[in-house]
Amino acid sequence: MKPAKEAKGDIAIHLHVFYPDLAEELAGYLKNMPFDYDLYVSVPDKHALEKCHQAFRNLPLLRKIEVRQVPNRGRDVAPLFCAFGEELSRYDYIAHLHTKKSLYNRGTTEGWRTYLYRALLGNPEQIRRIFALMQEQNPYGIVYPQNYVLLPYWANTWLANRELGRMGAARLGIGEIPRGYFDYPVGSMFWARSDALAPLFKAGITWDDFPEEAGQTDGTLAHTIERLFVLCSVSRNMPAAIIRDEQHPSWSPWRFDHYVTRPYTSLVGALDSPRIKLIAFDIFDTLFCRPLLDPETVKGIIARRLGGDLGTLYWRCRHMAEQQARYEKKRDVNLNEIYGQFGQLADLSEGDLVNLQRLEEDVEELLLEPRQEALQLYQEALATGKPVVLITDMFLPRERLEVILRKHGITGWKQLFVSGEIGLRKDDGKLYEYVLTKYGLKPAEFLMIGDDERSDVQIPCDMGASFIHLMRPIELARGIPRFAPILTAHEKSKDIDAELTLGLVIRKNFSQIQFPSFDPTSLLPVVTPYNIGYGLVGPLLVSFAQWLIQQARVDGIDRLYFLSREGRLIKEIYDIWIDGLLDAPSSEYLIISRRAAGVAAIYTFDDILSVAKMVYFPNTVENFLYTRYGLVLDEHRWSEIERMTGWGRWSQMSISKEGRVDHLVPLLKSVEQDILEKVAQERPALLRYLAEKGLDHDNRQAVVDVGYGGSIQGYLNRMLSRKVHGYYLMTDDRASRVAKTYGVILRGCFCENAVQSPNAPAIYRYSFSVEKLLSASEPQVEYYEVGVTGQLRACYRETIPEVARKELSPMLEEIRKGALDYAMDARRIRQEVLPDFRPSLWTAQMLMENFLEQTSLQEAELLRRIMLDDHYCGRGLVA
């Protein structure tokens, strides 16, 4: 981006100089300003006031300076709005900096202040680049540096400020606030357009809104507003620009590299530390994970299962009952107490209340799956011989929790502390105090292992205890550059089906606690064939299977024929998904190919031309006649053909996507009888095979395949007296001709009648890669024949060399295994948790298209290693 040549507006800089000994340092950076500006300085006392007047009065390009003594409230944030808010809001651009020392952390963030100053005022060129960002046609509203390298990554959450943040956002007209990690200028120094922060300037913030200074390290209005700057700008349709740290580069603005690169040995070392006398584990999202983006979705699932008036009543009263129970008890509560309140709010019988509570407990349990690497760490903790306890903020009864833990082999703990039973919670520190008192320990002798940045990390840290953070899978997913937009879209959608479809992917691919081959440029953190199978192929084919069922019901289809070879995996997934569904169409695997069907369906010379019209890449005439028509001609025959047509066996030819074959007419005329002889041999055998498969029974049948033009479906309709319909992952504009010619159904799931162009859906533009991921390591059938004994036999062409197959087969098997595992997990959700679960096509397509369009080096290498034979189109083996 070119640096801005002019300011294009008035500029104000606000400095809060709490430490006057740093005024000269700031003045040195202000000398880099390339544009005229006004300076507003807030100070805590007269000494600082005089010091600042002296340090700043002769700065170049400074138009005016105003220094005010302000109360010691609200750190640097209160003066920005309460002392100078009215003046600053009149400018076009503002900068906000202060004299940060962060004395409370005893020097652990040494260099932070200098890092921020250099990023925002380091040199004239840097400042001009910042202004260019704020002057774009679609401008950035706020510009600030990437997190300082020594800051803990978990600072990029609400921590102790969530409730104040919720109220502050509502005051600013911001709807929902982020649940997990989000962008904000940690350290509260930035450049901004004043119109991006207008809601904050107009919010009527006063000095009295801020608590008196008492050395608070978090949980104040100042800490909250620091987290609202970016949200405010985004709400004004102006995104944030984050200045990359070139000295300590990181792919993550929040420094998630600190998390994913920590060695497992360091975690085990923390367990073994001689000063640690008690080890504690959180349970939910630490030892277990749900396939959910929001824990509150459990209530949505239950309401949907109940349906009707009861579902509506549950949705309206359940949260209210929990709030009321807490208010009345003045402590944390358990599920029995919550349903006691529920009974007062809802006019339900005792039996109905018992059934509702049991359903909620069942759904909570059935959504859980162990986090395997966390369980490994739990076993490491037990192996130290130190007492290990479990501590959870949860309303489920202790008895049910113990059943869940033992069901998954989690045993050996000394005690289980449940907030709903004890009445004290971790998230305010009181449950920790209770545990430490019970064991007679000091905080320094205690190690907490959990997922929550506030209750499992910040609070133990502030107490003086140790911690190991096991990040929630959803939050790690939120930090992956390519996955984050997908996650955000799903959180906004409020679609339970889409949430579960994506949630399974997140739970499987992001729940590790060590990432030896982590790749931040990929969609999934670790690129393996299994993970691609589970995270991409699985959702694609399970959602397609559900679509097949729904379309078949609408169209009156009761039999589906999955075409070899990509159809093998599609059928396997379909068969897993329909298990337990009574009205799903039956499935058959139809071993057929364009070569086998195309030749058998030839009746006229026009049919011969039709087979020829498909795209054919440059290759020999001999290869073309063999792959399209099965012709193997001797030298004498080739001499005749060359003499008659000018086409020799080694002549090079090709056919474009327009399908022009006029130049081949003499060649094809010369071999017409040879082709018809092949037809006479192959058609009866193929028709017999199709009859044995039941394709001549009625019109309630459809083929299923990856798709495009529906050519095999067209050939089948030409040969059979019964209609053969078709369902595909995708179709292109050729498909409509087949549908119209034979009066059959021909539908595409993810795209229909697509036209090859830059605007076509990515899943169609990169369809060859999709075929690779769905391919099976099996030969292609060329034709059927009837042996001398009358036995029907399929004749195959082995298209992949044995050496290549040895490498390819294990990869395809791993992709297949991942996809099948996803299908089984999705089916378990439908069978046990949500009977009307409909896996989301939207989710599946979003995942697959991200993978196809933004392929990383590791993903590209995986695709490159999968060879697909495309002999029919002249390309041979394609990697």
Side-chain angles (χ1 to χ4, degrees):
M1 177 175 293
K2 292 183 179 179
K5 294 181 179 180
E6 55 183 334
K8 296 183 180 179
D10 292 329
I11 303 169
I13 296 177
H14 171 241
L15 308 177
H16 180 62
V17 183
F18 186 79
Y19 300 107
D21 58 308
L22 297 177
E24 291 291 345
E25 181 181 337
L26 263 172
Y29 284 100
L30 288 172
K31 291 177 183 177
N32 294 323
M33 274 297 294
F35 308 123
D36 293 339
Y37 67 99
D38 295 340
L39 184 62
Y40 295 86
V41 185
S42 50
V43 296
D45 52 43
K46 289 184 178 179
H47 168 66
L49 189 147
E50 294 169 0
K51 186 81 172 175
C52 288
H53 269 298
Q54 182 178 357
F56 302 135
R57 62 186 175 185
N58 293 320
L59 290 170
L61 301 182
L62 176 63
R63 297 190 305 187
K64 78 169 187 177
I65 180 173
E66 186 165 343
V67 185
R68 291 182 193 169
Q69 184 176 337
V70 299
N72 187 18
R73 281 184 173 222
R75 306 288 171 87
D76 61 287
V77 174
L80 175 66
F81 296 105
C82 303
F84 296 116
E86 185 175 346
E87 293 97 325
L88 294 173
S89 65
R90 299 191 190 111
Y91 289 82
D92 298 291
Y93 307 102
I94 58 174
H96 172 67
L97 299 96
H98 54 98
T99 53
K100 173 174 283 295
K101 285 192 176 181
S102 298
L103 300 178
Y104 72 93
N105 62 28
R106 298 182 292 280
T108 57
T109 54
E110 186 69 34
W112 186 7
R113 178 185 70 253
T114 302
Y115 167 72
L116 295 175
Y117 288 177
R118 285 178 178 169
L120 296 169
L121 293 170
N123 58 68
E125 186 83 354
Q126 177 79 348
I127 298 168
R128 289 180 184 276
R129 291 184 185 279
I130 291 171
F131 270 77
L133 291 168
M134 296 189 291
Q135 293 173 0
E136 285 192 346
Q137 186 174 358
N138 297 309
Y140 291 91
I142 183 168
V143 185
Y144 62 91
Q146 180 178 9
N147 278 16
Y148 183 50
V149 66
L150 296 181
L151 283 177
Y153 60 86
W154 41 267
N156 267 95
T157 62
W158 288 106
L159 296 179
N161 310 286
R162 185 175 187 83
E163 187 56 29
L164 277 176
R166 185 187 60 77
M167 293 188 293
R171 188 171 172 180
L172 299 175
I174 299 171
E176 292 191 18
I177 63 171
R179 281 200 289 269
Y181 286 78
F182 61 100
D183 293 324
Y184 76 91
V186 183
S188 66
M189 298 196 208
F190 54 83
W191 278 100
R193 293 173 58 100
S194 61
D195 53 354
L197 303 184
L200 279 164
F201 283 116
K202 295 176 181 177
I205 301 169
T206 68
W207 290 105
D208 290 338
D209 291 328
F210 296 87
E212 293 187 13
E213 182 58 40
Q216 303 97 323
T217 60
D218 200 17
T220 70
L221 181 59
H223 291 101
T224 302
I225 291 176
E226 180 182 22
R227 288 165 167 81
L228 291 174
F229 286 127
V230 170
L231 297 181
C232 182
S233 181
V234 170
S235 75
R236 307 275 288 173
N237 295 316
M238 286 179 271
I242 303 174
I243 303 168
R244 189 186 305 276
D245 181 356
E246 300 294 349
Q247 186 174 359
H248 301 284
S250 169
W251 54 269
S252 168
W254 310 325
R255 301 284 183 177
F256 273 11
D257 50 305
H258 293 172
Y259 179 81
V260 298
T261 59
R262 63 182 182 178
Y264 184 72
T265 52
S266 70
L267 308 185
V268 177
L271 301 174
D272 289 330
S273 172
R275 69 183 178 88
I276 299 300
K277 309 299 182 188
L278 179 67
I279 301 171
F281 280 81
D282 175 53
I283 297 177
F284 293 90
D285 294 317
T286 299
L287 294 176
F288 293 104
C289 290
R290 309 175 182 94
L292 301 178
L293 310 185
D294 181 359
E296 289 298 299
T297 301
V298 171
K299 298 180 179 64
I301 290 172
I302 294 167
R304 185 160 137 182
R305 281 189 61 161
L306 295 170
D309 293 340
L310 183 56
T312 302
L313 181 67
Y314 173 85
W315 182 251
R316 189 176 71 244
C317 295
R318 171 59 178 80
H319 183 66
M320 195 185 311
E322 186 169 346
Q323 286 185 317
Q324 188 66 25
R326 291 184 196 280
Y327 178 79
E328 291 194 5
K329 298 287 184 180
K330 300 294 188 288
R331 62 174 182 79
D332 202 22
V333 292
N334 59 39
L335 205 56
N336 292 330
E337 293 166 323
I338 292 170
Y339 271 87
Q341 284 294 327
F342 193 101
Q344 296 178 31
L345 294 170
D347 185 19
L348 294 175
S349 68
E350 186 65 29
D352 286 340
L353 287 171
V354 169
N355 290 335
L356 266 183
Q357 181 172 341
R358 186 181 299 119
L359 175 61
E360 183 166 343
E361 291 182 19
D362 289 346
V363 170
E364 286 279 6
E365 177 180 343
L366 291 168
L367 283 168
L368 296 174
E369 183 174 286
R371 197 171 174 180
Q372 294 302 328
E373 290 187 2
L375 295 193
Q376 179 184 340
L377 191 65
Y378 176 78
Q379 293 300 323
E380 300 270 15
L382 293 178
T384 65
K386 300 173 184 179
V388 177
V389 299
L390 305 178
I391 309 178
T392 181
D393 284 347
M394 187 56 175
F395 49 72
L396 285 179
R398 161 194 289 278
E399 296 77 15
R400 190 63 179 253
L401 287 174
E402 289 179 343
V403 168
I404 293 170
L405 289 163
R406 292 194 171 100
K407 170 184 171 182
H408 294 285
I410 303 175
T411 59
W413 70 85
K414 294 297 180 184
Q415 283 187 275
L416 171 59
F417 297 94
V418 185
S419 67
E421 177 182 68
I422 299 168
L424 305 174
R425 292 180 62 84
K426 288 186 302 173
D427 57 17
D428 61 9
K430 292 181 180 178
L431 185 51
Y432 288 127
E433 294 172 5
Y434 175 87
V435 172
L436 291 174
T437 300
K438 190 171 185 65
Y439 279 86
L441 296 175
K442 299 174 184 177
E445 299 172 309
F446 176 66
L447 172 64
M448 182 64 203
I449 302 169
D451 67 277
D452 190 272
E453 290 78 10
R454 169 64 176 159
S455 61
D456 297 326
V457 175
Q458 186 186 38
I459 289 176
C461 182
D462 289 348
M463 291 170 56
S466 297
F467 67 86
I468 294 176
H469 185 214
L470 305 186
M471 192 181 293
R472 290 185 297 283
I474 184 178
E475 297 308 326
L476 181 57
R478 196 185 307 283
I480 303 297
R482 284 171 54 193
F483 207 96
I486 298 172
L487 176 56
T488 299
H490 280 72
E491 287 180 320
K492 289 179 179 178
S493 76
K494 306 298 182 186
D495 182 329
I496 291 177
D497 293 304
E499 178 172 350
L500 287 166
T501 306
L502 187 69
L504 287 170
V505 175
I506 292 174
R507 184 171 70 178
K508 177 68 74 173
N509 281 278
F510 295 86
S511 63
Q512 301 97 307
I513 64 174
Q514 52 180 330
F515 295 87
S517 57
F518 181 84
D519 179 19
T521 67
S522 294
L523 178 61
L524 303 175
V526 179
V527 180
T528 66
Y530 177 88
N531 288 345
I532 295 298
Y534 191 99
L536 300 175
V537 178
L540 188 83
L541 297 187
V542 173
S543 61
F544 180 54
Q546 177 60 36
W547 178 85
L548 285 173
I549 296 168
Q550 292 171 319
Q551 286 300 319
R553 288 171 181 164
V554 171
D555 298 331
I557 302 298
D558 59 19
R559 298 189 317 286
L560 298 176
Y561 292 86
F562 294 79
L563 305 185
S564 59
R565 293 167 288 172
E566 288 78 10
R568 179 177 291 282
L569 180 56
I570 301 173
K571 180 183 184 300
E572 286 184 294
I573 298 293
Y574 177 82
D575 289 342
I576 290 172
W577 180 247
I578 67 170
D579 182 35
L581 296 178
L582 300 178
D583 58 346
S586 64
S587 69
E588 288 281 352
Y589 187 56
L590 194 66
I591 301 174
I592 200 166
S593 65
R594 283 181 293 181
R595 155 67 182 88
V599 171
I602 290 172
Y603 291 89
T604 67
F605 184 71
D606 283 343
D607 295 338
I608 293 175
L609 292 179
S610 178
V611 169
K613 286 179 180 179
M614 294 183 196
V615 171
Y616 196 79
F617 290 83
N619 210 314
T620 65
V621 168
E622 180 181 45
N623 193 66
F624 171 73
L625 292 180
Y626 175 70
T627 56
R628 288 291 166 91
Y629 305 101
L631 296 186
V632 178
L633 306 174
D634 59 26
E635 285 292 341
H636 175 71
R637 190 76 180 88
W638 274 115
S639 297
E640 285 184 342
I641 294 170
E642 188 168 10
R643 179 171 48 80
M644 293 168 54
T645 68
W647 289 99
R649 68 191 305 173
W650 308 116
S651 299
Q652 291 288 309
M653 51 83 63
S654 64
I655 300 168
S656 67
K657 63 181 180 180
E658 288 78 21
R660 296 192 182 96
V661 293
D662 293 350
H663 60 302
L664 294 178
V665 169
L667 170 67
L668 295 175
K669 271 291 185 183
S670 71
V671 294
E672 180 178 5
Q673 289 307 311
D674 303 88
I675 294 172
L676 293 177
E677 287 174 13
K678 290 291 293 182
V679 173
Q681 295 169 13
E682 295 181 13
R683 184 190 296 145
L686 180 59
L687 287 173
R688 177 174 158 184
Y689 171 71
L690 298 176
E692 289 179 359
K693 284 290 187 178
L695 277 151
D696 60 351
H697 289 177
D698 54 35
N699 298 321
R700 299 165 62 86
Q701 58 201 1
V703 294
V704 179
D705 197 12
V706 175
Y708 315 125
S711 56
I712 293 178
Q713 182 186 348
Y715 296 145
L716 293 175
N717 277 285
R718 191 184 299 166
M719 287 187 288
L720 298 169
S721 60
R722 302 295 186 178
K723 289 186 183 296
V724 179
H725 305 287
Y727 298 125
Y728 304 92
L729 288 173
M730 56 196 111
T731 63
D732 62 24
D733 52 350
R734 297 170 297 164
S736 58
R737 293 196 294 270
V738 173
K740 184 176 181 180
T741 299
Y742 299 104
V744 293
I745 296 165
L746 204 160
R747 302 191 191 281
C749 175
F750 293 101
C751 67
E752 195 166 81
N753 297 328
V755 177
Q756 187 65 262
S757 75
N759 297 321
I763 197 168
Y764 176 70
R765 286 186 282 116
Y766 298 95
S767 57
F768 195 73
S769 292
V770 177
E771 286 188 51
K772 281 187 165 193
L773 295 175
L774 305 187
S775 60
S777 182
E778 63 183 52
Q780 176 175 287
V781 67
E782 291 202 307
Y783 59 93
Y784 284 86
E785 66 178 13
V786 178
V788 292
T789 61
Q791 185 177 1
L792 187 66
R793 184 171 76 90
C795 298
Y796 294 91
R797 180 183 185 186
E798 187 61 68
T799 54
I800 299 177
E802 185 61 28
V803 174
R805 191 178 297 281
K806 285 183 178 179
E807 179 186 1
L808 178 61
S809 295
M811 284 187 62
L812 295 180
E813 179 57 28
E814 281 297 297
I815 292 173
R816 172 181 171 273
K817 186 175 185 303
L820 297 182
D821 283 352
Y822 182 91
M824 288 185 281
D825 287 345
R827 183 185 63 191
R828 191 172 73 83
I829 293 292
R830 190 198 72 218
Q831 291 178 336
E832 298 180 0
V833 177
L834 188 61
D836 64 346
F837 173 41
R838 300 292 181 263
S840 168
L841 294 168
W842 172 65
T843 303
Q845 186 162 356
M846 194 180 301
L847 287 167
M848 183 59 77
E849 293 194 337
N850 183 291
F851 174 79
L852 297 171
E853 287 192 294
Q854 304 180 46
T855 310
S856 69
L857 291 176
Q858 286 194 27
E859 292 165 342
E861 174 60 19
L862 183 145
L863 282 173
R864 187 196 64 77
R865 291 165 57 200
I866 302 175
M867 290 180 293
L868 202 63
D869 64 270
D870 194 26
H871 294 280
Y872 195 77
C873 291
R875 290 192 290 179
L877 290 180
V878 184

